[in-house]
């Protein structure tokens, strides 16, 4: 029998997260406060985030110990398997060896709980009783409700109405873990009420849902806000994925030639790749490839500029790749990748050429996702099909060149709650959803102007 | 950190299935043919089943090698983790140690692929091109379509219409794996057309869907039928669960005092428990507990008698616990447990007191299932909540008695495609669905009369 999976025992789990800020060739530029338009202080951000997470956000410290209480919850499903995609290799007829890290095995079905559990823990430590957060397609809201439940925190999720109506089982699983969920815009906040007053049938947007959650957290002493991607501490918590992958690849004497993840806000890609960025800086010969949707090509087509994190101008202004905070991405099924900006860390690494990015159209992703489901069994989340597409591209290149190649990608989640996307694809109802360049041009004309003080 | 999971490498996977027929104190009575009312011959059954499976069905051989090709597919997710339910233990405040075998990690989300893969393989070996099967709630149809896809067989699934309409994502995942699916009754078969002629809005039933699939298989040379539970060869293929569990418990020096599974047709229970039945016969001090729904209490309230396997009298007549083949179980959400009969092997073992059975009401199962979801993270399938309820009962007894106890149960699957059941439970819309005794009395008056020849 040919080996398929590489497992780690719980005793072999990494005990520290890796902070790529420690090794950046160019340090990160500071975030600005959206109200003062000056560099944001930890004290200002402490209104909605605990100090321990802000410390992780700002610090250049290379390693952070994972608290025992966090390890204990992660051990419910971690370490996750590293799997060799032999069926996919055969279907492609490639000489490449394709490996994937299977993050779909978490109870919430994606990598998101890796940081949700840590965020719930640190908030609990600082006496917070309740978390308010937003969710688009539902992966993050599910993860945060699971994590809050594990630490006895209350949790309120504002879910973009159009997804709330399209994916009713997300609401069900969030309720099952004891959290409260509102379709956004809701009657719970000023931002929500204002939007509903303007349009009672408002479909909602991620920007608006963020505004509702931030407002909720900012106006209640017992409540903090939690974000599922983009920020440095979120990327930090996800590095357990790559640290495990390195140990697993070592176990079988393999070294990846290319490490691949999909990018929306950047967190699952950060998770699989930042430990490899460290190795690359130390001299490892490895390419690191981010795959984004062609309909929201933040890194490949956006500007590297200061921009708001949300449409309502409540989140910090950060230096990142952006299509402009007023850009509304077309309605592809990979809802988790529909974000105008990108993690400042991923953006910085792309600028420094440590990370490459490509943009791929929706139909090619579903084609690759279906091939994966039929060869490896697992039905991937629409977001994860972008990483699979990236792996297929690399595997076909290897075939063309007649060369061996070791490909490692992150399977960020399963698609059990996104099956209507597969229905639409199989029925030939999907397209690649292009957008007019004028939309991006207009959005990019609305970037904020901030001035860095002389260093 | 406290250990949560016990893993096995692929190299530690059991290489043989265990056939409990080899060790039965009382041998099984033969099946009868529903048309001739005489003992059914393998040749008669070969019309819809391959000879290799019929051999496994009839033989007293204790061990069967698992073919390499089957092992290779199973290795996509097997061996499955054995997990200690520490969170559940703490919530119950029990001195018992609770372990569960996590069969929810298969791509189809349940234990069903263990036999689906084997059945697809043996059918392929005998030149069959296509499988016809039925599915109730959808677990089996999903598993069979996954397995057929892996071996390049076509697959047609007849799904009970009421479930087809209630659980649309089951259709989606079955299509994603390339199978064809029809709501039953369908226009594809005589049985289906007859039912539709009688009632164009016919909601369907498992009995009718079986009739459609058997008719399809019997009338096409290239097509066989596949069943997901009840039969001996199905139970055989599931024993890999218990064989793995024994190895995993040995690894940590534990021995279960009680082994628990839910029963509908009996296959997941057979899987976890038959290897322990072998050990019990050899002298191990272990109780083996089957948990059935109070609204379909086949073993605890049914007769041990010869009965038809389906309502249309096409499947073999077997000696089993039955509530009568015309008994229509109330519409509990654990659709996989709504079967009038029981595996002849499980029935035989219950008669010989090697296996105990209890019946539990729906609300107590969902209560236990919710507690499990909130302590262990995994949202269990409604069927699996019955096994969890059994474990909770045993753990609370241990608490009352102030005694240690080692409990092992089978988590047969997750509930990602059954979330509407949790919605209904959380909304207080579920009841325990009792049935009038007269329904069972009437059904039991319609058992077939067969005569065993003098031995």
């Amino acid at each position: 029998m040919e080996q398929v999976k590489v497992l780690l025992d719980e005793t072999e789990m990494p005990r520290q997260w890796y902070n790529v800020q420690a090794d950046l060739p160019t340090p990160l530029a500071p975030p600005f406060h959206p109200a003062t338009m000056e560099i944001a202080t930890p004290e200002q951000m402490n209104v909605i985030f605990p100090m321990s997470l802000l410390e992780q956000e700002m610090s250049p410290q290379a390693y952070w110990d994972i608290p025992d209480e966090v390890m204990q919850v992660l051990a419910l499903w971690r370490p996750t398997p590293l799997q060799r995609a032999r069926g996919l290799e055969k279907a492609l007829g490639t000489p490449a060896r394709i490996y994937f890290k299977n993050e779909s095995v978490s109870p919430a079905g994606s990598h998101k709980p890796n940081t949700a559990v840590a965020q719930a823990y640190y908030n609990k430590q600082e006496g917070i009783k309740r978390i308010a957060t937003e969710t688009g397609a539902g992966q993050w809201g599910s993860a945060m409700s699971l994590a809050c439940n594990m630490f006895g925190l209350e949790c309120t999720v504002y879910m973009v109405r159009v997804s709330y109506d399209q994916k009713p089982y997300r609401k069900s699983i969030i309720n099952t873990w004891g959290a409260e969920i509102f379709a956004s815009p809701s009657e719970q906040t000023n931002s929500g009420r204002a939007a509903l007053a303007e349009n009672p049938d408002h479909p909602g947007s991620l920007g608006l849902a963020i505004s509702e959650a931030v407002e909720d957290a900012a106006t209640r002493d017992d409540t903090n806000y939690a974000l599922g991607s983009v920020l440095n501490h979120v990327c930090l918590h996800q590095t357990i994925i790559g640290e495990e992958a390195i140990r697993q690849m070592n176990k079988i004497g393999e070294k990846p030639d290319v490490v691949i993840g999909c990018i929306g806000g950047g967190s699952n890609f950060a998770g699989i790749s930042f430990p490899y960025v460290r190795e690359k800086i130390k001299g490892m010969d490895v390419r690191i490839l981010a795959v984004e949707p062609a309909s929201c090509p933040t890194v490949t087509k956006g500007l590297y500029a200061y921009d708001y994190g949300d449409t309502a101008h409540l989140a910090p202004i950060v230096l990142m790749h952006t299509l402009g905070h007023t850009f509304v991405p077309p309605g592809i099924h990979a809802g988790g990748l529909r974000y105008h900006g990108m993690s400042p860390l991923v953006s910085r690494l792309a600028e420094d050429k440590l990370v490459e990015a490509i943009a791929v159209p929706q139909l090619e992703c579903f084609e690759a996702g279906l091939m994966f489901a039929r060869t490896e069994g697992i039905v991937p989340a629409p977001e994860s099909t972008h990483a699979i597409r990236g792996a297929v591209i690399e595997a076909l290149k290897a075939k063309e060149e007649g060369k061996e190649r070791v490909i490692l990608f992150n399977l960020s989640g399963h698609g059990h709650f996104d099956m209507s996307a597969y229905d639409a694809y199989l029925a030939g109802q999907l397209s690649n959803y292009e957008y007019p360049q004028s939309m991006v041009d207009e959005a990019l004309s609305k970037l904020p102007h901030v001035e860095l003080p002389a260093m």
Side-chain angles (χ1 to χ4, degrees), chain A residues 34-340:
Chain A
T36 65
M37 301 302 270
E38 291 183 357
I39 291 177
T41 64
E43 291 69 31
Q44 286 170 332
M45 297 202 271
N46 187 220
V47 177
I48 57 168
F49 291 115
M51 283 310 294
S52 43
L53 289 177
L54 291 169
E55 206 186 339
Q56 292 178 348
E57 184 71 18
M58 312 285 200
S59 164
Q61 181 181 316
Y63 292 95
W64 292 83
D65 288 342
I66 308 177
D68 279 353
E69 294 87 339
V70 172
M71 290 289 285
Q72 195 70 55
V73 177
L74 295 181
L76 290 175
W77 69 92
R78 301 206 75 86
T80 63
L82 178 80
Q83 298 192 212
R84 172 115 179 242
R86 291 185 184 272
L88 181 61
E89 291 170 15
K90 282 186 194 113
L92 295 169
T94 177
R97 299 193 289 287
I98 307 176
Y99 295 89
F100 64 94
K101 187 72 172 150
N102 186 357
E103 291 294 308
S104 78
V105 299
S106 83
S110 80
H111 67 293
K112 294 287 187 191
N114 295 333
T115 182
V117 171
Q119 291 190 46
Y121 167 79
Y122 287 116
N123 275 291
K124 172 88 172 183
Q125 285 294 101
E126 296 192 21
I128 290 296
K129 305 282 182 226
R130 181 170 165 274
I131 295 291
T133 195
E134 78 290 331
T135 198
Q139 291 276 24
W140 172 245
S142 305
M144 202 64 224
S145 58
L146 169 69
C148 284
N149 161 75
M150 289 293 175
F151 287 102
L153 296 175
E154 290 175 56
C155 179
T156 296
V157 179
Y158 296 90
M159 183 168 182
V160 177
R161 173 168 290 284
V162 58
S163 297
Y164 182 93
D165 292 339
Q166 275 173 354
K167 307 192 174 188
Y169 283 5
R170 281 291 175 193
K171 171 184 181 293
S172 316
I173 204 165
I174 285 168
N175 286 156
T176 297
W177 285 318
E180 169 180 70
I181 179 168
F182 297 103
S184 168
S186 76
E187 292 287 352
Q188 305 300 114
T189 66
N190 288 333
S191 330
R193 283 186 292 267
L196 287 172
E198 209 173 273
N199 175 7
D201 297 321
H202 198 301
S205 73
L206 201 51
L208 184 50
I210 293 178
S211 304
E212 289 209 86
V214 170
E215 182 187 324
D216 180 324
T219 52
R220 279 184 59 167
D221 275 353
D222 66 347
T223 301
N224 265 347
Y225 171 69
L227 190 65
S229 192
V230 181
L231 299 178
N232 305 340
H233 68 270
V234 179
C235 295
L236 175 77
H237 301 152
Q238 293 294 355
T239 58
I240 193 167
I241 301 172
E243 295 288 21
E244 284 180 8
I246 287 176
R247 285 160 174 73
Q248 286 163 314
M249 292 296 267
N250 284 345
K251 268 204 173 184
I252 50 170
E254 283 278 40
K255 190 199 75 57
D257 295 306
V258 56
V259 176
I260 302 173
C262 64
I263 48 172
S267 79
N268 97 79
F269 172 74
I272 188 92
S273 75
F274 284 3
Y276 280 104
V277 169
R278 176 190 61 212
E279 301 307 309
K280 187 178 170 84
I281 290 170
K282 281 201 248 163
M284 185 192 251
D285 182 19
V286 58
R287 289 169 51 223
I288 297 174
L289 178 63
V291 186
E292 59 184 11
S295 57
C296 189
T298 319
V299 177
T300 53
K301 298 280 181 65
L303 277 187
Y304 185 59
Y306 268 102
D307 196 6
Y308 294 103
D310 65 332
T311 49
H313 304 186
L314 293 172
I317 299 170
V318 293
L319 182 58
M320 60 180 175
H321 285 100
T322 179
L323 293 163
H325 62 282
T326 61
F327 176 74
V328 180
I332 55 168
H333 276 272
L337 307 184
R338 293 179 65 234
Y339 184 64
H340 69 277

Side-chain angles (χ1 to χ4, degrees), chain A residues 16-33:
Chain A
Q16 295 188 309
W17 293 303
Y18 167 65
N19 179 11
V20 78
Q21 291 188 73
D23 296 313
L24 287 181
T26 318
L28 282 190
F32 279 67
H33 194 284

Side-chain angles (χ1 to χ4, degrees), chain A residues 384-419:
Chain A
S384 312
T385 64
H386 291 71
I388 298 170
R389 181 66 199 160
V392 167
I393 290 171
E394 291 292 326
L396 292 178
K397 260 194 243 165
K399 181 180 181 178
E400 210 177 283
E401 296 165 8
K403 280 187 192 160
E404 287 199 0
R405 183 168 305 186
V406 179
I407 299 167
L408 168 64
F409 75 88
N410 195 35
L411 183 76
S412 55
H414 64 59
H416 299 174
F417 296 88
D418 307 282
M419 293 308 303

